[in-house]
Each structure stands twice: as structure tokens, then as C-alpha cells.
Amino acid sequence: GAGVSQSPSNKVTEKGKDVELRCDPISGHTALYWYRQSLGQGLEFLIYFQGNSAPDKSGLPSDRFSAERTGGSVSTLTIQRTQQEDSAVYLCASSLGDFSYNEQFFGPGTRLTVL
Amino acid sequence: GNSVTQMEGPVTLSEEAFLTINCTYTATGYPSLFWYVQYPGEGLQLLLKATKADDKGSNKGFEATYRKETTSFHLEKGSVQVSDSAVYFCALRDTDKLIFGTGTRLQVFP
């Protein structure tokens, strides 16, 4: 079956521009997560959605970062006024529920490069 | 806060050698523990998991045992193959999110 998909796979942008990253979770998965993988910081949690609401936004690094989820499905991560330190691979994951035993399935990621 | 510490790599082994990648954690309570693997050019995949103390997770010849006495979840494989070359991440479940270690790159040579 279809896994988690993310688009674009690569994004190069200039410092100061806004970018939108998209995640399509596995159909029927109610929980959706965004993580960031960078050389300096490793794999970091950004935000978690249950349905359309985000009960945990604790990992968002600044107010330039925001995310939304509509229809309990697709999610968009928006970074405003990008900075070079935002360069990273942004990973999306989804799971059937948010119990500790529910496996999180990861997408291939979006590689963001801020020039 | 909760955290995961894993051995730094790269770990370089010959085919059929024994593998151990150390992972220790700091957490309140007894979180579920995971090993994820990232093969070259691919996304993160769950390799194995354990949800309570003394549980052993296993998959593809890899094993890890949840040891609450030593707060460890070391990954082992008796005989590695070239195809096991990848980056391995230890992680724990902290309420709704995963907290990852820094990753350990494994390189297996024929």
C-alpha cells in the first residue's frame, strides 16, 4: 500500500523567502508528526497532530515555523523568512493512533537548502 | 528531560562479524524503546521495538533487550552482511513523540 509521501523532495530557496512543505500520511492514520534531521542537531521532533489539532508544538524552534493539518489528512509545514540554519531534511511520519505501541511510519523527507 | 545516548560511529566491520551498537536512555517511567534504520537513499524504517522491561525486540537477525537496571537497549547481530550498511537510530517514546539518539553509521565490508 501507499506509504507516507512528502513533496517536494528537494527545495532550494534564498534566505528570507517563505517555504511550504507538504506531507500526505498513510490513509486512516490519525496521528501525524513532523521531525527535522540536520547535521548539527540530529533528529528533532517539531510538532504532533491528532486529527486536525496540534496538542504538542513544543519542538517548533521559532515563531517562523508553523504547521496545519486539514481534513485529518494532509499537513503543511510553513517556514517564514527562512534562515540558513533552517537547512535540513524535514521528515513527516504518521501512525494509526498515538499509543506508545503504534509504529510511526516515516516519509522520504524534504531536503531544504537555504542559500 | 528524557534523552537517548548511542555510541558514535562509524562502526566498520567485516562481513559475518558480530555487531553491537550501544544505546542508553534517561527517562521517567518506562518508555517504549525502538531501533530505526536508514539505508542509503531511503527513509527511516522501524527495525525493532520493545514496550516493557525485559522485552526482547527482534527482526532481520537483529536483537535488542530492554534493560531497566542498566537503562540500556543495545542492538546486536550475530553475523552482519554488506546489506546491513546503514545508519541506526535508537529512540524512546516520550508521550506523543520519539526522541532519537544521534545515529550510528555501520559500514560492512566483504
Side-chain angles (χ1 to χ4, degrees):
Chain A
V4 177
S5 61
Q6 294 185 244
S7 61
S9 54
N10 278 285
K11 177 72 176 178
V12 179
T13 190
E14 293 179 348
K15 178 181 172 181
K17 302 280 191 182
D18 298 352
V19 295
E20 285 189 352
L21 313 180
R22 177 187 168 107
C23 171
D24 281 90
I26 294 172
S27 177
H29 281 194
T30 60
L32 185 147
Y33 311 80
W34 283 97
Y35 294 87
R36 179 168 72 171
Q37 186 174 22
S38 58
L39 280 177
Q41 302 297 323
L43 263 163
E44 310 170 273
F45 166 79
L46 297 177
I47 187 170
Y48 153 63
F49 286 91
Q50 178 57 248
N52 291 337
S53 64
D56 189 350
K57 306 179 184 179
S58 62
L60 295 178
S62 76
D63 57 9
R64 296 186 294 104
F65 288 71
S66 62
E68 64 175 14
R69 189 179 184 194
T70 55
S73 181
V74 172
S75 176
T76 303
L77 177 69
T78 302
I79 309 173
Q80 295 179 309
R81 306 181 302 282
T82 52
Q83 304 295 312
Q84 289 184 331
E85 62 262 27
D86 300 334
S87 296
V89 177
Y90 289 82
L91 297 172
C92 177
S94 70
S95 66
L96 201 53
D98 59 358
F99 293 104
S100 63
Y101 52 78
N102 288 133
E103 179 181 350
Q104 293 186 20
F105 293 84
F106 283 80
T110 294
R111 182 175 297 277
L112 174 65
T113 303
V114 181
L115 301 177
Chain B
N2 295 345
S3 65
V4 174
T5 302
Q6 63 181 106
M7 65 189 287
E8 294 191 17
V11 173
T12 304
L13 294 172
S14 297
E15 207 164 26
E16 298 183 4
F18 184 85
L19 169 71
T20 300
I21 300 178
N22 290 336
C23 171
T24 57
Y25 66 90
T26 301
T28 52
Y30 303 105
S32 295
L33 301 174
F34 306 82
W35 277 100
Y36 277 82
V37 59
Q38 191 170 34
Y39 297 104
E42 298 185 18
L44 270 174
Q45 304 173 26
L46 179 65
L47 180 60
L48 53 83
K49 67 180 181 183
T51 57
K52 62 183 187 296
D54 300 324
D55 263 4
K56 177 186 283 189
S58 61
N59 186 25
K60 298 182 181 180
F62 290 88
E63 291 184 340
T65 301
Y66 191 139
R67 303 280 189 204
K68 70 175 183 179
E69 311 81 19
T70 53
T71 60
S72 65
F73 193 55
H74 304 321
L75 182 68
E76 296 182 335
K77 186 174 186 182
S79 176
V80 293
Q81 305 300 310
V82 173
S83 57
D84 294 326
S85 298
V87 181
Y88 293 81
F89 293 90
C90 185
L92 66 81
R93 183 73 182 249
D94 181 354
T95 57
D96 45 75
K97 60 185 174 286
L98 292 171
I99 295 177
F100 288 90
T102 52
T104 302
R105 182 176 298 279
L106 170 65
Q107 297 175 322
V108 181
F109 293 96

